[in-house]
Amino acid sequence: MAEAKVRVSHIAVPGNLSVLKLKSYLRTAFADAAKAKSEEEVLLVKVLVPRPLGLRAGEKFFDKVLQGMIDKDPRVTRVSVEFVDGEITPQAIDASMARIQKELDEFGHLLDEPSADVGRD
């Protein structure tokens, strides 16, 4: 995997969605984010959710829905959900990207090492 390029995709969930529509929205947005640019890439997905919607949906909802999507694409190495106060703005996405870049700078070398698929049930 040393030749793999890391690509980070953000999914910004609108705050006006109902929990019922959230699953469909996530599936569509995840499919768009995961469109293959290269089979050799490593894909990290960050889902930004307005806090009130995230709390209504609950942790188990996100675990189940996102795990189902992860299982379909072996390029996806990490998916994380971040609750954001207020609407998802370009500034919130930029701040998230800065945090991810800092993590990649510190720990990105771990992506090159073979894993035992920790976290994949």
Side-chain angles (χ1 to χ4, degrees):
M1 194 183 294
E3 299 296 320
K5 178 176 174 18
V6 175
R7 181 167 59 97
V8 178
S9 289
H10 281 82
I11 296 175
V13 176
N16 61 352
L17 287 179
S18 68
V19 174
L20 294 174
K21 292 184 179 183
L22 181 57
K23 184 176 183 178
S24 174
Y25 180 86
L26 286 172
R27 283 188 176 163
T28 302
F30 194 89
D32 289 344
K35 283 186 180 168
K37 293 190 179 190
S38 165
E39 292 302 317
E40 298 298 317
E41 71 185 355
V42 173
L43 182 59
L44 308 176
V45 179
K46 181 74 157 198
V47 181
L48 300 173
V49 182
R51 188 175 306 280
L53 177 58
L55 294 175
R56 282 194 314 270
E59 183 179 335
K60 287 184 180 184
F61 171 86
F62 287 105
D63 285 346
K64 183 178 179 182
V65 171
L66 295 175
Q67 186 64 51
M69 292 180 236
I70 291 167
D71 291 342
K72 293 179 183 176
D73 193 335
R75 297 172 304 131
V76 178
T77 303
R78 178 179 168 196
V79 175
S80 59
V81 177
E82 180 180 337
F83 292 166
V84 177
D85 292 322
E87 290 296 314
I88 311 301
T89 63
Q91 292 81 10
I93 294 171
D94 290 344
S96 175
M97 190 63 204
R99 287 189 299 274
I100 291 170
Q101 188 58 53
K102 183 178 176 187
E103 290 175 13
L104 285 173
D105 291 344
E106 290 180 35
F107 305 108
H109 65 282
L110 297 175
L111 295 172
D112 294 334
E113 298 174 5
S115 73
D117 281 335
V118 175
R120 289 184 186 242
D121 295 308

